[in-house]
Structures are given as structure tokens and as C-alpha cells.
Amino acid sequence: MTAAGDPAALGQLLRSRRERLVPADVGLPAGSFGGRRRRTAGLRREEVALLANLSSTYYTFLEQGRPVRPSAQVLDALAAALRMSAAERRYLHVLAYGPGYDNGPGPVAAAPPERLDPAVADLVQRLEPLPTLVKGRRWDVLAANPAARELFADWAAGPPGERNLVRWMFTTDRAREVYLEWEPEARAMLGRFRMSAARHPEDPDIRALIAELRRDSEHVRDWWPRHDVAAIGGSGSKKLRHPRLGPVEYTHVVLQVADHPDQTLVTYSLVPGR
């Protein structure tokens, strides 16, 4: 393990997953366990330990956030026992081993201001009329062409601290107008942002953004402690409301900027006939 992990967050993730599963989810009987009646929802620690072939004491230490430094095999066994997705499994390893596990940049005390390569900025404009934007390490919008600004928001017109895709999603009425399926889209965005933020656990700008989001959005306050994560997909579709075209369906493609892996370009195109 080349970098320090976050045992407290690891314990919170395990506990959150355990409490959201029921015995039937993992093939266990719904009744008592070990002669004790089940009084609360969710799995017991002993049940998770049994499924992962661990001692109950060791698993309890993990949930309590003690620095016991589990092996990769133990983490994989826990991920299987708790029915974690591939993205959640990667997040579990990042919390245990530190940001270097996922081949992302290591933790930094203070990152320099992000700069967008002029060639990438030019590409964003040349993709007009396809709505296209680039988001950075903190999910600030670093560039957006006119079509993207019309569809979503004119981020460049606002103060620098508000040119942020996650903040826009959770604190503006406009986001709820644009996304026809706002709640699942917002949950997914927060899960992808959490996965990105885990690679920069000491970044003060990201920490400040998370604190602001939890202060300003009741949804973030409710969802953030659940430790849900989502992988950043390469493509997909979204149902959006265009200010001129009305409700439409878009496909989108996500591309990572080669020289700056924390920066991603997203471009949208209308689904024909929709």
C-alpha cells in the first residue's frame, strides 16, 4: 500500500451498505440469526463477516474505522458479500489504500488552478452545434460552446465559484427544468463526483465544495453519507428539455483529456426521430 487510505470513510461505506441490504438479498433466511430475533432492518455484522469468511471482530474493527489495513482479497470478499458494483468495489479499494490504487493522481495539499489546453478549447467550439463542455478536477466547467450554454446554463456569466456542474445540478431550478428525470440523474452525478473526489482526499477546494453542497442542498445532505458511487461511463442517453425544442433525448459521449486525466469532455447529439 503506497498511500494512506481513509479508514473512517471505509467503515462508513461498509456500514451503509450493510444496513441497506436484507437477508434475502444475500441468500440468508429472513428470521433470527444465532438464536437472536432480528429487530432492525439490514444485515448484522456477524452475517457480513460470515459471508466474507472473516471473523466478526475483524469486520467490526473495519466498520469502526480502525487502521487494520485489510488485504485486497479481504476487500474483494467484502465487496462480493455486500453485493457491490464494479464502481463501488473500486471505491472501496481507494478508501482502503489511498488515491494511488485507482491510478488516479495522488493527494495534494493545494492544487494549482486548472488550465485547459487551447487545442481542447478550440475543439469544444468546433463541435458546435453539438452541445459540448469540458469539466475539470472539481467538476468546474472549463469550457462550453454556445449550444451547451443554451441547453444547460451560461456558466461563464456567473462568478468563478459557481461555474460548477454539481453545484448547478443541486442548487438551481434550471437543472430541474432541463433534466426530465432529475432525481436519478442527480444521484448518478453525485456518485460519479464522489468517485472523482476520492482521488483527491486532501484537496481543499474539493473539500470546500463538498461542505458547501451539504450546506446548500438537502439532497446532498441525505445522499452523501450513503457513500453511493457510480462509474463515469463512456456513452449513454439522457432525456432533457431544450429551451427551444422542448423535451428531447440526447446521446452523449465522454472523453478523457489525455494530458490532463482529471478533465473530461462531454458532447451530446440528438437521437434521430425523438
Side-chain angles (χ1 to χ4, degrees), residues 31-258:
S32 63
F33 179 80
R36 293 179 292 140
R37 292 182 59 81
R38 189 178 301 277
R39 297 181 178 178
T40 59
L43 299 177
R44 292 196 176 96
R45 287 174 173 172
E46 298 95 324
E47 291 170 324
V48 176
L50 176 67
L51 291 168
N53 197 28
L54 301 174
S55 74
S56 180
T57 299
Y58 185 83
Y59 176 75
T60 299
F61 285 171
L62 288 173
E63 268 205 14
Q64 291 174 342
R66 300 194 189 187
V68 294
R69 304 176 74 83
S71 68
Q73 290 79 10
V74 165
L75 294 175
D76 287 340
L78 286 169
L82 292 169
R83 304 301 192 261
M84 290 185 176
S85 66
E88 290 168 331
R89 184 186 298 261
R90 288 195 298 273
Y91 180 53
L92 184 68
H93 280 262
V94 169
L95 293 182
Y97 300 158
Y101 163 78
D102 204 33
N103 296 322
V108 293
E114 285 192 277
R115 299 186 183 279
L116 188 64
D117 188 302
V120 178
D122 180 64
L123 175 62
V124 170
Q125 300 306 319
R126 287 191 287 114
L127 285 171
E128 182 76 19
L130 302 180
T132 305
L133 59 88
V134 176
K135 60 182 177 64
R137 178 188 72 254
R138 209 182 75 123
W139 287 49
D140 292 327
V141 177
L142 305 179
N145 63 12
R149 297 197 298 273
E150 180 187 24
L151 176 59
F152 296 107
D154 189 1
W155 289 285
E162 296 182 6
R163 301 171 189 173
N164 182 273
L165 197 58
V166 188
R167 168 175 282 283
W168 174 81
M169 187 67 148
F170 282 95
T171 65
T172 70
D173 293 334
R174 174 66 180 157
R176 288 167 172 77
E177 296 171 1
V178 172
Y179 281 90
L180 299 180
E181 299 172 338
W182 181 86
E183 183 166 327
E185 291 285 358
R187 283 182 180 272
M189 180 181 288
L190 191 65
R192 292 191 293 270
F193 172 69
R194 176 183 276 284
M195 192 73 181
S196 298
R199 297 177 178 144
H200 303 276
E202 304 301 326
D203 189 310
D205 292 334
I206 293 178
R207 284 188 169 188
L209 175 60
I210 293 169
E212 291 168 6
L213 290 169
R214 298 186 72 171
R215 179 195 66 200
D216 297 339
S217 168
E218 63 176 323
H219 289 92
V220 177
R221 285 195 297 274
D222 289 343
W223 297 343
W224 191 258
R226 296 167 65 92
H227 284 268
D228 291 334
V229 293
I232 297 177
S235 62
S237 63
K238 297 184 185 298
K239 295 178 181 179
L240 306 174
R241 179 178 286 108
H242 193 280
R244 289 184 294 102
L245 305 177
V248 290
E249 185 173 353
Y250 283 90
T251 59
H252 68 276
V253 176
V254 182
L255 303 173
Q256 189 177 54
V257 179

